[in-house]
């Protein structure tokens, strides 16, 4: 078994209105429960808005602290899941389901 991270790529801006977001969150809870029931789920979390990020960057033997995201962009990491599955194909299957459910890109990456 190998661990994989499913990273949810979220567009910048306000979240969808409740009439759009609520059904997505309900379906996401069902998918998360299925992952738990199948023993795939390890850990996952949604993240606060990218504006709440703080970047720590080493420079000249010190650390610079900057509010905000690492880079300006139109997308950011909105959340993630760690799953434990047999192989990359199984991780891609879960990532595909998550992407279709959310209507957002999902990056699948093995954990070291």
């Amino acid at each position: 078994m190998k661990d994989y991270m499913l990273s949810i790529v979220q567009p910048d801006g306000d979240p969808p209105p409740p009439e759009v977001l609520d059904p997505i969150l309900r379906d996401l809870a069902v998918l998360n429960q299925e992952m738990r029931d199948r023993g795939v789920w390890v850990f996952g979390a949604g993240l606060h808005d990218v504006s709440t990020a703080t970047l720590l960057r080493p420079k000249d033997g010190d650390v610079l602290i900057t509010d905000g995201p690492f880079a300006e962009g139109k997308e950011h990491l909105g959340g993630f899941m760690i799953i434990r599955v047999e192989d990359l194909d199984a991780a891609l299957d879960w990532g595909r389901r998550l992407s279709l459910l959310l209507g957002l890109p999902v990056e699948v990456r093995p954990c070291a």
Side-chain angles (χ1 to χ4, degrees), residues 6 10-11 17-18 27 34-35 40 44 55 63 68-69 72 76 92 111:
L6 309 180
Q10 182 173 322
D27 292 346
E34 182 180 349
M35 288 179 169
V40 170
L55 177 67
V63 176
E72 298 275 333
H76 61 273
L92 292 173
C111 298

Side-chain angles (χ1 to χ4, degrees), residues 11 23 59 67 74 94 101:
K59 183 171 182 174
D67 291 335
K74 296 181 181 178
W94 286 107
L101 184 151

Side-chain angles (χ1 to χ4, degrees), residues 26-47:
R26 184 185 60 243
D27 292 346
L28 181 58
V30 170
L31 181 65
N32 287 342
Q33 188 59 52
E34 182 180 349
M35 288 179 169
R36 285 181 178 94
D37 292 346
R38 291 181 160 196
V40 170
W41 175 267
V42 175
F43 179 78
L47 300 174

